[in-house]
Amino acid sequence: MKTEVSTAANFISRLLKTTGLLSEEQLQHFSHSLEKSLGEHYKHHWFPNAPCRGSAYRCIRINENHKMDPVIGEAAGTIGLTREQLFTLLPSELTMWVDPYEVSYRIGEDGSICVLYESEPSSSSSSTQPETASNQSQGDSNNRASSGNCKGELRVGMGRSKKPKSFTMIRISSS
């Protein structure tokens, strides 16, 4: 979970950095605060054996109706930014999914889904990050392998059977 949460926090920090309005110290403090808050927020909603389970809970959302994800709002407050200031600094429509083995985002309601981080499940990750559900069925444990990923299911549900042509992928190593 640490890699996925760190990837999400760093991405949002980089979005803020592009504005040029925040100091490096503010950005680092924001990123650290967001990473800590997301880790705590996801603690009981992280299911490595069924990555799509809990995906809606782990979804970070900002939209033009002035709805700001509360975890981002709290992290911004630690560096003195208000939610109103955040709305001017971040994209008006941002959706980010932080799931086991994948972090992806979409800017705009009809934008392409882009992957920031993706990895394959390993036997060590399952044993070091225990499943919090008491009874996982064998079908759930094969969830990722059989259905691809959560965003793949979203694409199919939206009538998109293939990945968009303007697909951006950034790989981040875990070392």
Side-chain angles (χ1 to χ4, degrees), residues 55-91:
S55 186
Y57 182 85
R58 295 184 306 269
C59 180
I60 296 170
R61 187 84 170 97
I62 300 168
N63 68 34
E64 349 181 274
N65 298 329
H66 290 297
K67 302 234 185 208
M68 174 68 62
D69 188 283
V71 178
I72 295 176
E74 290 171 20
T78 66
I79 60 169
L81 284 178
T82 65
R83 288 176 188 245
E84 290 72 27
Q85 289 171 312
L86 271 180
F87 282 115
T88 64
L89 298 174
L90 292 172

Side-chain angles (χ1 to χ4, degrees), residues 3-114:
T3 301
E4 291 90 341
V5 166
S6 177
T7 300
N10 288 331
F11 177 73
I12 294 173
S13 296
R14 284 193 315 267
L15 288 176
L16 290 172
K17 184 177 185 170
T18 62
T19 67
L21 299 173
L22 300 173
S23 71
E24 198 60 40
E25 184 179 324
Q26 286 176 302
L27 290 166
Q28 287 177 359
H29 186 74
F30 171 82
S31 184
H32 176 73
S33 176
L34 183 57
E35 191 172 332
K36 184 177 176 184
S37 295
L38 287 173
E40 191 63 32
H41 187 64
Y42 298 159
K43 184 168 47 174
H44 299 294
H45 297 273
W46 197 258
F47 307 98
N49 293 332
C52 291
R53 182 175 175 199
S55 186
Y57 182 85
R58 295 184 306 269
C59 180
I60 296 170
R61 187 84 170 97
I62 300 168
N63 68 34
E64 349 181 274
N65 298 329
H66 290 297
K67 302 234 185 208
M68 174 68 62
D69 188 283
V71 178
I72 295 176
E74 290 171 20
T78 66
I79 60 169
L81 284 178
T82 65
R83 288 176 188 245
E84 290 72 27
Q85 289 171 312
L86 271 180
F87 282 115
T88 64
L89 298 174
L90 292 172
S92 60
E93 288 280 344
L94 172 68
T95 306
M96 179 177 277
W97 295 272
V98 184
D99 296 320
Y101 316 113
E102 183 178 300
V103 179
S104 55
Y105 72 96
R106 179 182 66 204
I107 295 178
E109 200 55 39
D110 297 319
S112 297
I113 297 172
C114 303

Side-chain angles (χ1 to χ4, degrees), residues 93-158:
E93 288 280 344
L94 172 68
T95 306
M96 179 177 277
W97 295 272
V98 184
D99 296 320
Y101 316 113
E102 183 178 300
V103 179
S104 55
Y105 72 96
R106 179 182 66 204
I107 295 178
E109 200 55 39
D110 297 319
S112 297
I113 297 172
C114 303
V115 176
L116 289 170
Y117 170 81
E118 188 173 41
S119 70
E120 290 298 319
S122 67
S123 58
S124 63
S125 66
S126 295
S127 62
T128 59
Q129 296 176 349
E131 179 71 51
T132 56
S134 56
N135 292 321
Q136 273 296 318
S137 70
Q138 185 62 30
D140 283 346
S141 67
N142 292 327
N143 189 334
R144 180 167 166 64
S146 63
S147 64
N149 61 38
C150 303
K151 273 52 72 197
E153 293 173 11
L154 176 64
R155 277 188 207 95
V156 171
M158 294 171 61

